[in-house]
Amino acid sequence: MDISVVIPLLNEDESLNELYDWIVQVVQSNHYSYEILFIDDGSTDNSWETIQELSQKDTNVKGIKFQTNYGKSQALNAGFNIAQGDVVITMDADLQDSPDEIPELYNLIKNEGFDLISGWKKKRYDSKIKKNFPSKLFNFAARKTSGLKLHDFNCGLKAYKKEVIKNIDVYGEMHRYIPVLAKNAGFTKIDEKVVAHQARKYGVTKFGMDRFINGFLDLITIWFLSKFGKRPMHLFGFLGSIMFIIGFFSALYIGVTKLLKLYYYHTPTKLVTDNPWFYIALTTMIIGTLFFLSGFLGELILRTKRDKSLYKISNKTNL
């Protein structure tokens, strides 16, 4: 199969028939073998009924329905799991992504050898305050932390080599950072293409402040996994060392001060527990120890996973 088009959606029944007709016209005019996967993320309108009607009319249309709203990342992951096309193209269901981009996206993956092409909506028709500003902020932070020079990480219109979507796990709000996930999985031929952006024709945007906050939390997760995911001890060991050194020198200061006062003044001094540095030393040394333990546990978990992977590879080799 040439192309799988994966479309996550939530309450978009007004646009589905028009989107389907548009996609079919493009892929059939280019003689692609294809499938269209609609992932209904817990819609409360007639989206699922529309998908069922389309699948009865066209056997190339398939659908997955979630009983409740799990989020775009889970919807994409479900679509990726069943996609069969050599090239997988994702787009939103609100008609803001143009199916006319499909042939060029397909060519860049299939003939130019790219692993992933991310759309860049250079000219947008969204609200500047509600979506454009947060999007620019996300993209700037993602570029700095990932090293990928993409302008629009969160564009719904993307094309992937099949191997990419079968080797990444999209969860939480990670759909914003799929190019970073792909890079971490070893796929380095990643680029972008300027794509057309349409004004929303039906319905309302699903973007809210909760996604803004969750997106930044997921960005921190991505940064950590990119930098320390394979060697957690490098982070936790460093932090543990800093905290332990602070605690050690605080304790040393308390002890030396007490001894000097006894030696020079020969008078009883206050209890050690009356000195605020005692609590600083105790707290930082405990925190430092906990950081070390976290690093060791992380390393042990990773080593166990690596050993299991090597065992599987060895079994396959023997077979």
Side-chain angles (χ1 to χ4, degrees), residues 64-282:
I64 296 176
K65 178 174 174 59
F66 291 171
Q67 293 302 316
T68 188
N69 177 235
Y70 287 103
K72 188 174 181 179
S73 293
Q74 284 71 18
L76 285 172
N77 205 47
F80 289 164
N81 285 336
I82 66 169
Q84 301 176 34
D86 293 335
V87 176
V88 178
I89 294 176
T90 61
M91 63 175 58
D92 294 334
D94 53 14
L95 295 174
Q96 291 191 276
D97 296 330
S98 172
D100 289 334
E101 304 284 353
I102 289 176
E104 192 168 348
L105 289 171
Y106 176 82
N107 180 64
L108 287 169
I109 299 294
K110 193 68 174 178
N111 300 322
E112 300 295 329
F114 286 99
D115 296 319
L116 188 156
I117 296 293
S118 181
W120 175 18
K121 297 173 182 176
K122 198 170 185 178
K123 184 177 181 181
R124 301 182 66 101
Y125 293 94
D126 296 317
S127 166
K128 291 187 180 298
I129 296 176
K130 197 170 183 179
K131 288 196 73 173
N132 283 10
F133 175 71
S135 178
K136 288 182 179 179
L137 196 58
F138 273 125
N139 291 323
F140 173 78
R143 280 195 298 272
K144 292 298 181 182
T145 55
S146 70
L148 288 173
K149 306 303 181 184
L150 301 180
H151 291 84
D152 193 356
F153 283 81
N154 195 28
C155 178
L157 186 58
K158 289 184 174 68
Y160 310 83
K161 186 186 292 184
K162 184 179 181 179
E163 289 78 6
V164 175
I165 58 107
K166 298 301 182 182
N167 284 280
I168 61 174
D169 186 23
V170 189
Y171 59 92
E173 297 287 332
M174 294 296 185
H175 62 273
R176 295 181 174 88
Y177 310 113
I178 290 180
V180 185
L181 296 176
K183 179 187 175 185
N184 291 345
F187 299 98
T188 57
K189 295 196 70 175
I190 299 172
D191 207 343
E192 65 184 357
K193 175 189 177 300
V194 176
V195 296
H197 184 228
Q198 329 288 345
R200 176 177 274 275
K201 192 173 182 179
Y202 305 106
V204 294
T205 180
K206 311 303 187 299
F207 186 88
M209 284 305 297
D210 58 331
R211 299 191 181 193
F212 182 81
I213 296 168
N214 292 340
F216 269 114
L217 294 176
D218 284 330
L219 180 60
I220 295 171
T221 302
I222 284 285
W223 171 81
F224 173 80
L225 292 175
S226 301
K227 201 167 183 65
F228 302 107
K230 294 181 180 178
R231 294 307 303 267
M233 194 62 182
H234 286 187
L235 174 65
F236 292 110
F238 172 75
L239 293 175
S241 299
I242 295 296
M243 300 303 289
F244 201 87
I245 288 171
I246 292 172
F248 174 79
F249 280 105
S250 298
L252 186 64
Y253 169 76
I254 295 169
V256 171
T257 302
K258 189 174 181 64
L259 288 173
L260 288 175
K261 285 182 178 180
L262 284 171
Y263 181 79
Y264 284 108
Y265 299 106
H266 306 287
T267 56
T269 58
K270 292 182 179 180
L271 294 174
V272 172
T273 53
D274 291 334
N275 192 326
W277 282 101
F278 168 79
Y279 297 100
I280 294 174
L282 182 64

